[in-house]
């Protein structure tokens, strides 16, 4: 039974019961409509309470039912809303857990709203590429005013109950059972007038210059959400609440959502939504997986190394109320790390206080203890190592801590790409060793690559995946290979960016094209931010640059393949990026963030091309995008072929959450599918034939096979490989 109804004296309680989140599927909508009509007609009923089963009001329309252009569902939710709002008997929403999207729209059509203190409300449709389309953009501004409503709708913000009360979205916040409180309120208001409680009948109040306000909002949104259409549609819809009568406003919502669907962005974002949820459902070839292996509960942790990454990881753990021992190698580094962590925690505490939640950090510090003494970590449940990227050092540390720690403690490394098995092999419990690859800044970035080595046990995977979720991360299980998934795909992309400079581009041409595509940052800006020396050191270790390059090696060749030495040349001149005040761009000061194109680089590139007698040509944005992205996608196919990622969806989750890929394009593998695999294949093949010294352009076996079998849907790609090479 999707919707049940029972009566408590004169109050009829209608409960949505559709696990896991009481989403409004077609069946739920039909049942809700029917139960509501019956309750409203029943003479023994004098008031109605609307609630959800299992402590959740409702997470909105059932996204699983969204199919391309079908909008029937959203229309029927508004049908229910209209009925509720016009009901002559008072209707009270009892909000527990979540009231999101269509769920909040349902509640807004009720005459009163009571929320549990832990509930959250919001209109997050924008995050799945659409807009609230069951009256949300018309009723919310009438209830809380335009600026607050617009902010919630355009950002898709989750609003905690206490803030919802301050904004006027809910009438009561209770610490106890919200349904009992709603029934109580319903009884009190029986027979009282409801006219000013029907939001559709109220005027939108404002004392701002509406034209200016919406123009500014549009300008800001075009920058902040570059390329995404849904935020702009949300603004238009809210504007309609001021300009049009309520029912025309509803029509506008429908028109806008229909036009969004034609852009393909909602489909991409909904694919990204479900891919993210599926990433947590890991399964090993043995059949062990998320649904049959229980994680260990992690209460105490240690983080070794408080540099760029360690600080963020400590903050992340502390934020999740997990106790941390933070370790450094000397007093100076410890003090620096401590200062940085305290400052980050203070900011977190401030945010929590603003949301009306009390923070558990006394003076900005939670359960974090700083020390130089490795002996103090002996009783922790899990350790995350974040020292320099150096195999020798990591092995020394793992050997040392495996002797100190209790036998069942887990040992995790934050390495960006070193061999997990080699690290595990020096410990007395390789089955408890795993990679937890956080992204910088670790307290903010949502992605976590959980890297399984060949010894890693299912319990270790379950525990770290579950810890990732507790930290609010999107954890994706990947296999062990140099650079894992995200960084491995990035390598040929950055390499191509270098070749583009040789062939005639300036750094800003490449960055602009990719930023216009939707990346948060182009490759040269990204390198300047991360520091060019990071890649330089790694290339030196690999013997690609520096003293270990055999004499007589041509400047633009390594092991017979094309090589672009420009980044190395910049490093030799100390142009390390932002921290040096210059890199691919120049900056206003050391550590500055405002990049400007540098005439010096232009001159340098011209001289470089002359020296190497490179005939440059004009390269347009399309060529830049294709050259950079197709090799990245090709690497994604190789990763699937090698069994390093479980599915193309997992790769997309990694790129959407860790590499600034525009979510409204779904992710690189989804993009390949929507572009057409044949086009990707043919372009790569053509380019590879013209440049046989660039192996990353050679189309992979899987890509070729998928084209040959007629481009099956993305969900079926892996079946083309069978169980070859599964490294997970
Ligand atoms: N429809 C269908 N399934 C949903 C769903 C939804 N709206 N929301 C969640 N799920 C599934 C999800 O796939 C997962 O399934 C399970 O619930 C638990 O989710 C007319 C147009 C509610 C805050 O955008 O933000 O209303 O993987 O793992 O971390 O304007 O899910 O277990 O099989 O995320 O506790 C607007 C989206 C819809 C809300 C819970 N609503 N959901 O988070 O668990 S459009 C949303 C969320 C709309 C109207 C329109 C979160 C959550 P499975 P979870 P969680
Ligand atoms: P970092 O140089 O900023 O910090 C490393 C810290 O480790 C330093 O504070 C150092 O004092 C400390 N340390 C060194 N030896 C130690 C020892 N024996 N005991 C205790 N502490 C010791 O480095 P980082 O950028 O934070 O990188 C740390 C790890 O995370 C590396 O493996 C790196 O590859 C990986 N990583 C870095 C990034 C990034 O963007 N910086 C992203 C993901 C992963």
């Amino acid at each position: 039974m999707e919707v049940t109804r029972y009566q408590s004296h004169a109050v009829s309680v209608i409960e949505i019961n559709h696990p896991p989140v009481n989403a409004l599927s077609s069946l739920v909508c039909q049942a809700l409509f029917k139960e509501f009509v019956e309750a409203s007609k029943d003479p023994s009923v004098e008031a109605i309470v609307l609630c959800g089963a299992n402590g959740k009001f409702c997470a909105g329309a059932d996204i699983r039912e969204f199919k391309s252009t079908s909008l029937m569902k959203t229309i029927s939710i508004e049908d229910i809303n209209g009925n509720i709002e016009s009901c002559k008997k008072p209707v009270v929403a009892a909000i527990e857990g979540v009231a999101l999207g269509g769920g909040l729209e349902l509640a807004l059509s009720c005459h009163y709203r009571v929320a549990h203190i832990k509930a959250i409300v919001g209109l997050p449709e924008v995050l799945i590429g659409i807009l609230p389309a069951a009256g949300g953009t018309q009723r919310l501004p009438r209830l809380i005013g335009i600026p607050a409503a617009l902010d919630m709708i355009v950002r898709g913000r989750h609003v905690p109950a206490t803030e919802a009360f301050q904004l006027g979205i809910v009438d009561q916040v209770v610490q106890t059972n919200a349904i009992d409180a709603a029934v109580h309120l319903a009884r009190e208001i029986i027979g009282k007038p409801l006219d000013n409680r029907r939001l559709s009948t109220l005027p939108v109040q404002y004392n701002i210059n509406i034209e200016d306000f919406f123009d500014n909002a549009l300008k800001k949104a075009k920058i902040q959400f570059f390329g995404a259409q849904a935020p702009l549609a949300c603004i238009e819809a809210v504007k309609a609440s001021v300009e049009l009568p309520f029912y025309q406003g509803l029509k506008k919502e429908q028109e806008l959502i229909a036009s969004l669907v034609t852009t393909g962005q909602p489909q991409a974002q909904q694919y990204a939504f479900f891919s993210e949820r599926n990433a947590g459902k890991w399964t090993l070839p043995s059949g062990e997986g998320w649904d049959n292996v229980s994680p260990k509960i992690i209460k105490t942790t240690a983080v070794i190394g408080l540099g760029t990454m360690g600080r963020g990881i400590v903050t992340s753990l502390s934020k999740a109320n997990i106790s941390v021992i933070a370790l450094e190698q000397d007093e100076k580094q410890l003090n620096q790390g401590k200062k940085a962590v305290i400052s980050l925690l203070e900011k977190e505490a401030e945010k929590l206080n603003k949301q009306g939640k009390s923070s558990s950090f006394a003076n900005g510090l939670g359960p974090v203890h700083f020390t130089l003494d490795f002996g103090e970590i002996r009783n922790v449940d899990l350790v995350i190592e974040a020292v320099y990227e150096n195999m020798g050092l990591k092995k020394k540390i793992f050997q040392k801590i495996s002797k100190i720690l209790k036998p069942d403690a887990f040992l995790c490394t934050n390495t960006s790409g070193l061999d997990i098995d080699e690290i595990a092999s020096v410990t007395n419990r390789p089955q408890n060793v795993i990679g937890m690859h956080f992204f910088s800044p670790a307290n903010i970035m949502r992605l976590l690559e959980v890297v399984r080595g060949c010894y890693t046990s299912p319990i270790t995977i379950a525990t770290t995946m579950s810890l990732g979720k507790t930290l609010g991360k999107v954890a994706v299980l990947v296999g062990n290979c140099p650079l894992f998934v995200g960084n491995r795909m990035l390598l040929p992309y950055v390499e191509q960016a270098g070749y583009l400079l040789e062939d005639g581009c300036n750094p800003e041409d490449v960055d602009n094209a990719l930023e216009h595509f939707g990346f948060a940052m182009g490759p040269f800006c990204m390198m300047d931010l991360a520091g060019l020396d990071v890649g330089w050191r790694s290339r030196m270790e690999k013997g690609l640059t520096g003293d270990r390059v055999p004499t007589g090696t041509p400047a633009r060749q390594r092991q017979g393949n094309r090589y672009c030495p420009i980044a190395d040349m910049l490093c030799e001149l100390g142009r390390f990026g932002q921290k040096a005040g210059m890199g691919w761009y120049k900056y206003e000061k050391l550590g500055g963030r405002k990049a400007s194109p540098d005439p010096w680089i232009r001159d340098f590139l011209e001289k470089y091309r002359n020296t190497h007698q490179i005939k440059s040509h004009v390269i347009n944005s399309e060529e830049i995008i294709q050259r950079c992205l197709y090799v990245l996608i090709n690497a994604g196919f190789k990763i699937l072929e090698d069994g390093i990622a479980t599915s193309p969806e997992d790769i997309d989750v990694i790129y959407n959450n860790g590499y600034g890929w525009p979510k409204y394009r779904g992710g690189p593998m989804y993009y390949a599918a929507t572009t057409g695999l044949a086009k990707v294949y043919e372009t790569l093949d053509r380019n590879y034939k013209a440049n046989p010294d660039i192996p990353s352009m050679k189309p992979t076996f899987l890509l070729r096979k998928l084209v040959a079998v007629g481009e099956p849907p993305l969900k079926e790609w892996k079946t083309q490989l069978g169980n070859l090479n599964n490294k997970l």
Side-chain angles (χ1 to χ4, degrees):
M1 290 280 273
E2 276 81 11
V3 177
T4 54
R5 183 157 62 92
Y6 60 90
Q7 197 148 331
S8 165
H9 302 291
V11 179
S12 179
V13 179
I14 301 178
E15 183 182 75
I16 307 170
N17 190 347
H18 182 49
V21 290
N22 297 328
L24 299 167
S25 65
S26 310
L27 285 178
V28 171
C29 285
Q30 278 168 31
L32 187 55
F33 191 84
K34 177 174 158 283
E35 293 299 335
F36 190 82
V37 170
E38 281 176 18
S40 58
K41 284 187 182 154
D42 184 340
S44 70
V45 172
E46 291 183 68
I48 298 169
V49 164
L50 199 60
C51 62
N54 303 317
K56 289 173 189 137
F57 184 71
C58 168
D62 192 328
I63 308 167
R64 286 168 300 194
E65 286 187 357
F66 288 6
K67 289 270 181 320
S68 58
T69 54
S70 159
L71 298 170
M72 292 309 289
K73 176 83 43 41
T74 56
I75 292 164
S76 72
I77 295 173
E78 179 44 31
D79 287 346
I80 301 168
N81 292 346
N83 250 353
I84 294 175
E85 196 182 61
S86 59
C87 184
K88 297 214 163 47
K89 302 168 185 178
V91 187
V92 183
I95 302 174
E96 292 182 319
V98 290
L100 294 174
L104 179 59
E105 290 172 306
L106 209 57
L108 290 175
S109 68
C110 296
H111 306 121
Y112 289 86
R113 287 155 292 278
V114 174
H116 185 263
I117 183 124
K118 288 200 171 143
I120 51 165
V121 305
L123 294 173
E125 284 87 342
V126 72
L127 305 178
I128 49 168
I130 54 176
L131 71 150
T137 64
Q138 306 303 300
R139 285 193 178 89
L140 194 61
R142 286 172 161 82
L143 181 63
I144 64 171
I146 293 166
L150 193 77
D151 175 64
M152 265 179 75
I153 294 170
V154 172
R155 292 203 282 143
R157 202 159 64 81
H158 285 187
V159 175
T162 43
E163 189 190 343
F165 178 70
Q166 283 156 12
L167 286 170
I169 299 173
V170 300
D171 304 291
Q172 270 184 26
V173 175
V174 295
Q175 309 252 11
T176 50
N177 188 309
I179 302 172
D180 290 347
V183 169
H184 184 78
L185 175 65
R187 285 207 187 100
E188 278 182 356
I189 55 178
I190 287 171
K192 300 228 167 101
L194 293 172
D195 286 345
N196 67 349
R197 309 296 309 181
R198 295 189 174 96
L199 297 181
S200 72
T201 64
L202 305 180
V204 183
Q205 310 258 6
Y206 57 87
N207 55 5
I208 46 178
N209 179 325
I210 281 302
E211 278 304 317
D212 286 357
F213 177 80
F214 283 108
D215 281 355
N216 280 336
L218 265 178
K219 267 189 215 140
K220 260 172 61 187
K222 279 182 184 164
I223 297 169
Q224 194 179 353
F225 309 106
F226 183 81
Q229 295 302 312
L232 312 183
C234 286
I235 295 172
E236 259 199 78
V238 174
K239 192 172 180 213
S241 74
V242 188
E243 292 177 342
L244 301 173
F246 180 78
Y247 289 100
Q248 283 183 37
L250 289 185
K251 254 181 81 187
K252 184 78 183 173
E253 278 184 347
Q254 295 306 314
E255 284 163 23
L256 286 166
I257 202 168
S259 85
L260 279 177
V261 171
T262 63
T263 65
Q265 293 192 358
Q267 293 88 333
Q269 281 178 253
Q270 286 151 31
Y271 158 85
F273 175 86
F274 286 115
S275 300
E276 229 174 272
R277 265 97 203 140
N278 287 336
K281 295 175 183 158
W282 56 278
T283 307
L284 302 179
S286 61
E288 288 160 300
W290 67 281
D291 51 351
N292 57 26
V293 182
S294 302
K296 289 262 175 74
I297 305 294
I298 299 300
K299 290 195 177 136
T300 54
T301 59
V303 174
I304 305 179
L306 300 178
T308 309
M309 295 307 290
R311 303 165 181 188
I313 298 170
V314 171
T315 306
S316 216
L317 289 162
S318 175
K319 235 170 92 178
N321 238 323
I322 295 172
S323 106
V324 197
I325 299 177
L327 253 165
E328 254 296 347
Q329 60 175 341
D330 61 40
E331 202 75 50
K332 185 172 162 233
Q333 303 278 9
L334 184 71
N335 286 335
Q336 273 179 10
K338 185 173 177 178
K339 226 170 111 186
V341 169
I342 291 174
S343 151
L344 288 171
L345 285 176
E346 274 171 353
K347 282 188 196 132
E348 292 299 337
E350 218 173 275
K351 268 194 244 163
L352 287 176
N353 284 333
K354 263 195 200 150
Q355 289 169 9
K357 294 180 194 163
S358 67
S359 88
S360 60
F361 319 127
N363 303 321
L365 254 181
V368 184
H369 172 67
F370 296 89
T371 183
L372 293 174
D373 179 5
F374 273 72
E376 290 193 39
I377 68 172
R378 78 175 58 84
N379 290 322
V380 301
D381 301 326
L382 180 143
V383 176
I384 301 173
E385 163 277 311
V387 302
Y388 307 125
E389 187 77 337
N390 177 294
M391 181 56 92
L393 175 62
K394 293 206 190 256
K395 277 162 97 170
K396 233 165 80 187
I397 288 190
F398 271 71
Q399 202 165 30
K400 179 169 169 179
I401 60 176
S402 84
K403 285 189 194 132
I404 297 173
L405 293 168
K406 59 183 183 183
D408 57 347
F410 298 98
L411 277 63
C412 313
T413 170
N414 184 46
T415 174
S416 310
L418 296 178
D419 185 358
I420 305 294
D421 298 337
E422 191 175 339
I423 297 174
S425 68
V426 300
T427 70
N428 55 15
R429 63 193 87 189
Q431 73 283 0
N432 281 16
V433 177
I434 198 162
M436 282 187 90
H437 183 207
F438 290 83
F439 287 71
S440 179
N443 53 316
I444 298 197
M445 293 294 285
R446 291 188 72 218
L447 179 63
L448 175 69
E449 280 184 336
V450 171
V451 192
R452 186 198 186 191
C454 68
Y455 311 109
T456 311
S457 70
I459 290 189
T460 308
I461 299 173
T463 303
T464 41
M465 290 291 285
S466 154
L467 177 62
K469 190 157 190 210
T470 308
L471 301 184
K473 305 289 179 202
V474 184
V476 184
L477 182 65
V478 301
N480 181 27
C481 70
L483 301 179
F484 317 134
V485 172
N487 286 347
R488 176 168 157 184
M489 287 168 70
L490 204 63
L491 207 61
Y493 164 87
V494 170
E495 222 175 68
Q496 261 320 309
Y499 300 152
L500 283 163
L501 298 188
E502 292 185 324
D503 296 347
C505 289
N506 287 310
E508 57 275 21
D509 302 328
V510 179
D511 282 350
N512 286 344
L514 288 155
E515 284 164 18
H516 196 75
F517 174 84
F519 271 98
M521 210 181 271
F524 294 108
C525 275
M526 186 183 70
M527 283 186 261
D528 271 1
L529 174 71
L532 270 69
D533 50 324
V534 179
W536 190 38
R537 249 182 280 126
S538 142
R539 290 191 295 278
M540 277 200 268
E541 269 177 37
K542 289 183 194 152
L544 291 170
T545 188
D547 301 341
R548 285 169 48 209
V549 178
T551 38
T553 305
R556 298 178 54 228
Q557 225 183 61
R558 295 294 180 272
Q559 288 140 15
N561 292 326
R562 182 167 167 183
Y563 181 79
C564 170
I566 301 175
D568 301 332
M569 295 164 87
L570 294 199
C571 288
E572 282 157 20
L573 296 169
R575 295 186 71 108
F576 291 142
Q578 289 185 3
K579 60 183 159 197
M582 57 182 181
W584 296 109
Y585 294 91
K586 62 177 180 184
Y587 295 86
E588 73 282 15
K589 56 175 187 206
L590 289 189
R593 289 172 167 224
K594 209 174 160 312
S596 353
D598 191 345
W600 184 91
I601 287 277
R602 286 175 176 233
D603 283 354
F604 173 85
L605 288 175
E606 253 182 62
K607 283 186 201 135
Y608 174 91
R609 292 182 202 115
N610 289 337
T611 308
H612 295 284
Q613 295 170 351
I614 302 170
K615 251 176 105 184
S616 64
H617 66 282
V618 177
I619 302 176
N620 65 21
S621 294
E622 194 189 348
E623 183 179 338
I624 293 173
I625 289 168
Q626 285 189 357
R627 280 178 55 178
C628 290
L629 295 190
Y630 288 6
V631 287
L632 179 141
I633 289 165
N634 202 33
F637 280 112
K638 185 77 178 93
I639 279 167
L640 289 173
E641 230 175 272
D642 290 352
I644 294 297
T646 308
S647 64
E649 288 96 326
D650 277 3
I651 295 179
D652 286 338
V653 172
I654 288 172
Y655 262 76
N656 287 335
N657 291 288
Y659 292 85
W661 182 279
K663 245 188 201 172
Y664 57 82
R665 290 190 192 270
M669 306 317 279
Y670 182 89
Y671 177 69
T674 46
T675 300
L677 297 188
K679 181 176 173 188
V680 176
Y681 172 80
E682 280 154 21
T683 312
L684 279 168
D685 196 46
R686 195 173 52 246
N687 288 344
Y688 178 58
K689 283 180 179 142
N691 301 276
D693 57 349
I694 307 181
S696 58
M697 282 179 165
K698 184 178 179 190
T700 56
F701 162 78
L702 178 58
L703 174 57
R704 200 172 55 239
K705 181 160 183 195
L706 290 170
V707 174
V709 297
E711 303 200 24
L714 187 141
K715 284 233 167 291
E716 292 166 25
W717 290 0
K718 275 284 280 189
T719 55
Q720 293 299 324
L721 283 170
N723 255 344
L724 279 179
N725 295 331
N726 196 333
K727 299 272 190 331
L728 289 166

